[in-house]
Amino acid sequence: MYQMRIFTLIDGMKREIEIKKGTTLQDELEKVVITGLDIFQMQLWIQNDKKMILVVQFC
């Protein structure tokens, strides 16, 4: 199973990162060099063998 977050920024750009076990949201934000103020929308996706599922979307 593969989990990732997709961040849509205020300027419309999108950043995707894979969620690794034990990683905090703050660590993820530092990895893609964005701050909480830059985020317009955040989505949590989970992919299994057959399909990708949107689990949560924050606006």
Side-chain angles (χ1 to χ4, degrees):
M1 184 167 41
Y2 174 79
Q3 297 181 2
M4 70 178 203
R5 288 190 211 273
I6 299 177
F7 298 98
T8 303
L9 305 181
I10 292 172
D11 64 4
M13 292 180 59
K14 292 190 177 190
R15 302 278 176 91
E16 300 177 10
I17 57 169
E18 180 180 353
I19 298 173
K20 301 205 188 290
K21 195 172 192 172
T23 304
T24 66
L25 178 59
Q26 187 63 37
D27 292 338
E28 293 174 6
L29 293 175
E30 289 175 5
K31 183 177 181 179
V32 293
V33 192
I34 57 175
T35 67
L37 298 174
D38 297 327
I39 299 171
F40 172 72
Q41 180 183 62
M42 180 174 61
Q43 299 175 335
L44 173 62
W45 289 85
I46 296 177
Q47 182 176 5
N48 60 18
D49 296 334
K50 298 181 181 184
K51 61 184 172 180
M52 194 156 200
I53 303 165
L54 174 62
V55 178
V56 179
Q57 178 173 326
F58 298 99
C59 296

